[in-house]
Amino acid sequence: MPVIGVLHAGSPDGSNMAAFRQGLAEGGHAEGRDVAIELRFAKGKFERLPALATDLVQRRVAVIVTGGTTSRLAAKASDCAP
């Protein structure tokens, strides 16, 4: 089952996870049935983003979805080599 990594600088309360899951469902995918989701939230501690991104890469997620520019830059900077 493919795993989607979610990297967000904020907290779960401030994310759009409900909309994300709804979008997956509209595309015919359900968490736990077709895909798994690994969530990583920095909770405003931006210095944690590189380690969280590296953790997702090491878990070999199929894709990393980010919640903003800071998270996107951390994901891009992580070692994405297999």
Side-chain angles (χ1 to χ4, degrees):
M1 173 180 324
V3 179
I4 299 170
V6 175
L7 180 64
H8 197 284
S11 65
D13 297 340
S15 71
N16 293 321
M17 286 307 301
F20 179 70
R21 287 182 172 104
Q22 180 181 347
L24 284 174
E26 289 172 4
H29 304 286
E31 183 179 5
R33 184 189 73 203
D34 304 301
V35 296
I37 300 174
E38 288 277 340
L39 303 170
R40 300 293 181 275
F41 292 96
K43 299 178 183 173
K45 297 180 180 177
F46 299 113
E47 68 276 6
R48 294 187 62 217
L49 286 168
L52 295 171
T54 298
D55 181 53
L56 289 172
V57 170
Q58 290 174 346
R59 292 179 182 272
R60 305 182 70 73
V61 298
V63 64
I64 297 176
V65 176
T66 62
T69 302
T70 307
S71 300
R72 185 172 34 258
L73 292 172
K76 183 178 179 183
S78 66
D79 183 9
C80 294

